[in-house]
PDB file of all heavy atoms in Angstrom:
ATOM      1  N   ASP B   8     -61.710 -11.184 -51.875  1.00  0.00           N
ATOM      2  CA  ASP B   8     -60.858 -11.980 -50.999  1.00  0.00           C
ATOM      3  C   ASP B   8     -60.995 -11.275 -49.640  1.00  0.00           C
ATOM      4  O   ASP B   8     -60.833 -10.131 -49.411  1.00  0.00           O
ATOM      5  CB  ASP B   8     -59.464 -11.842 -51.468  1.00  0.00           C
ATOM      6  CG  ASP B   8     -58.524 -12.902 -51.025  1.00  0.00           C
ATOM      7  OD1 ASP B   8     -59.012 -13.838 -50.317  1.00  0.00           O
ATOM      8  OD2 ASP B   8     -57.260 -12.811 -51.231  1.00  0.00           O
ATOM      9  N   HIS B   9     -61.361 -12.126 -48.605  1.00  0.00           N
ATOM     10  CA  HIS B   9     -61.554 -11.602 -47.251  1.00  0.00           C
ATOM     11  C   HIS B   9     -61.495 -12.626 -46.282  1.00  0.00           C
ATOM     12  O   HIS B   9     -61.284 -13.884 -46.499  1.00  0.00           O
ATOM     13  CB  HIS B   9     -63.031 -10.986 -47.270  1.00  0.00           C
ATOM     14  CG  HIS B   9     -64.059 -11.935 -47.448  1.00  0.00           C
ATOM     15  ND1 HIS B   9     -64.793 -12.456 -46.373  1.00  0.00           N
ATOM     16  CD2 HIS B   9     -64.647 -12.444 -48.508  1.00  0.00           C
ATOM     17  CE1 HIS B   9     -65.721 -13.289 -46.815  1.00  0.00           C
ATOM     18  NE2 HIS B   9     -65.628 -13.308 -48.254  1.00  0.00           N
ATOM     19  N   ASP B  10     -61.585 -12.331 -44.943  1.00  0.00           N
ATOM     20  CA  ASP B  10     -61.535 -13.256 -43.864  1.00  0.00           C
ATOM     21  C   ASP B  10     -62.784 -13.328 -43.053  1.00  0.00           C
ATOM     22  O   ASP B  10     -62.853 -13.656 -41.872  1.00  0.00           O
ATOM     23  CB  ASP B  10     -60.320 -12.996 -43.032  1.00  0.00           C
ATOM     24  CG  ASP B  10     -60.449 -11.597 -42.247  1.00  0.00           C
ATOM     25  OD1 ASP B  10     -61.407 -10.879 -42.483  1.00  0.00           O
ATOM     26  OD2 ASP B  10     -59.470 -11.378 -41.518  1.00  0.00           O
ATOM     27  N   ASN B  11     -63.991 -12.978 -43.649  1.00  0.00           N
ATOM     28  CA  ASN B  11     -65.277 -12.828 -43.045  1.00  0.00           C
ATOM     29  C   ASN B  11     -65.532 -11.485 -42.252  1.00  0.00           C
ATOM     30  O   ASN B  11     -66.660 -11.236 -41.838  1.00  0.00           O
ATOM     31  CB  ASN B  11     -65.704 -14.019 -42.294  1.00  0.00           C
ATOM     32  CG  ASN B  11     -65.934 -15.215 -43.071  1.00  0.00           C
ATOM     33  OD1 ASN B  11     -66.545 -15.038 -44.126  1.00  0.00           O
ATOM     34  ND2 ASN B  11     -65.546 -16.422 -42.692  1.00  0.00           N
ATOM     35  N   SER B  12     -64.279 -10.802 -41.945  1.00  0.00           N
ATOM     36  CA  SER B  12     -64.437  -9.585 -41.064  1.00  0.00           C
ATOM     37  C   SER B  12     -64.052  -8.366 -41.921  1.00  0.00           C
ATOM     38  O   SER B  12     -64.521  -7.239 -41.830  1.00  0.00           O
ATOM     39  CB  SER B  12     -63.979  -9.748 -39.724  1.00  0.00           C
ATOM     40  OG  SER B  12     -62.490  -9.925 -39.799  1.00  0.00           O
ATOM     41  N   SER B  13     -62.955  -8.577 -42.633  1.00  0.00           N
ATOM     42  CA  SER B  13     -62.439  -7.469 -43.352  1.00  0.00           C
ATOM     43  C   SER B  13     -62.104  -7.868 -44.825  1.00  0.00           C
ATOM     44  O   SER B  13     -61.652  -9.042 -44.994  1.00  0.00           O
ATOM     45  CB  SER B  13     -61.340  -6.796 -42.723  1.00  0.00           C
ATOM     46  OG  SER B  13     -60.226  -7.707 -42.464  1.00  0.00           O
ATOM     47  N   LEU B  14     -62.106  -6.825 -45.674  1.00  0.00           N
ATOM     48  CA  LEU B  14     -61.754  -7.115 -47.138  1.00  0.00           C
ATOM     49  C   LEU B  14     -60.189  -7.052 -47.199  1.00  0.00           C
ATOM     50  O   LEU B  14     -59.482  -6.242 -46.695  1.00  0.00           O
ATOM     51  CB  LEU B  14     -62.228  -5.899 -47.892  1.00  0.00           C
ATOM     52  CG  LEU B  14     -62.325  -5.970 -49.408  1.00  0.00           C
ATOM     53  CD1 LEU B  14     -63.316  -7.066 -49.845  1.00  0.00           C
ATOM     54  CD2 LEU B  14     -62.705  -4.739 -50.029  1.00  0.00           C
ATOM     55  N   THR B  15     -59.703  -8.112 -47.885  1.00  0.00           N
ATOM     56  CA  THR B  15     -58.196  -8.081 -47.964  1.00  0.00           C
ATOM     57  C   THR B  15     -57.849  -7.097 -49.128  1.00  0.00           C
ATOM     58  O   THR B  15     -58.625  -6.984 -50.100  1.00  0.00           O
ATOM     59  CB  THR B  15     -57.787  -9.638 -48.508  1.00  0.00           C
ATOM     60  OG1 THR B  15     -58.289 -10.476 -47.631  1.00  0.00           O
ATOM     61  CG2 THR B  15     -56.361  -9.680 -48.538  1.00  0.00           C
ATOM     62  N   GLN B  16     -56.707  -6.374 -48.980  1.00  0.00           N
ATOM     63  CA  GLN B  16     -56.284  -5.474 -49.911  1.00  0.00           C
ATOM     64  C   GLN B  16     -56.203  -6.025 -51.309  1.00  0.00           C
ATOM     65  O   GLN B  16     -56.554  -5.176 -52.284  1.00  0.00           O
ATOM     66  CB  GLN B  16     -55.047  -4.826 -49.516  1.00  0.00           C
ATOM     67  CG  GLN B  16     -54.846  -3.390 -50.066  1.00  0.00           C
ATOM     68  CD  GLN B  16     -53.381  -3.104 -50.529  1.00  0.00           C
ATOM     69  OE1 GLN B  16     -52.507  -2.961 -49.671  1.00  0.00           O
ATOM     70  NE2 GLN B  16     -53.228  -3.111 -51.825  1.00  0.00           N
ATOM     71  N   SER B  17     -55.908  -7.202 -51.520  1.00  0.00           N
ATOM     72  CA  SER B  17     -55.728  -7.698 -52.926  1.00  0.00           C
ATOM     73  C   SER B  17     -57.030  -7.510 -53.688  1.00  0.00           C
ATOM     74  O   SER B  17     -56.971  -7.420 -54.873  1.00  0.00           O
ATOM     75  CB  SER B  17     -55.338  -9.134 -52.847  1.00  0.00           C
ATOM     76  OG  SER B  17     -56.313  -9.906 -52.177  1.00  0.00           O
ATOM     77  N   THR B  18     -58.177  -7.478 -53.033  1.00  0.00           N
ATOM     78  CA  THR B  18     -59.445  -7.200 -53.813  1.00  0.00           C
ATOM     79  C   THR B  18     -59.374  -6.047 -54.545  1.00  0.00           C
ATOM     80  O   THR B  18     -59.924  -5.798 -55.677  1.00  0.00           O
ATOM     81  CB  THR B  18     -60.596  -7.263 -52.831  1.00  0.00           C
ATOM     82  OG1 THR B  18     -60.535  -8.523 -52.063  1.00  0.00           O
ATOM     83  CG2 THR B  18     -61.971  -7.330 -53.525  1.00  0.00           C
TER      84      THR B  18
END
Side-chain angles (χ1 to χ4, degrees):
Chain B
D8 197 9
H9 65 96
D10 62 0
N11 287 320
S12 59
S13 57
L14 194 68
T15 307
Q16 201 220 288
S17 60
T18 308

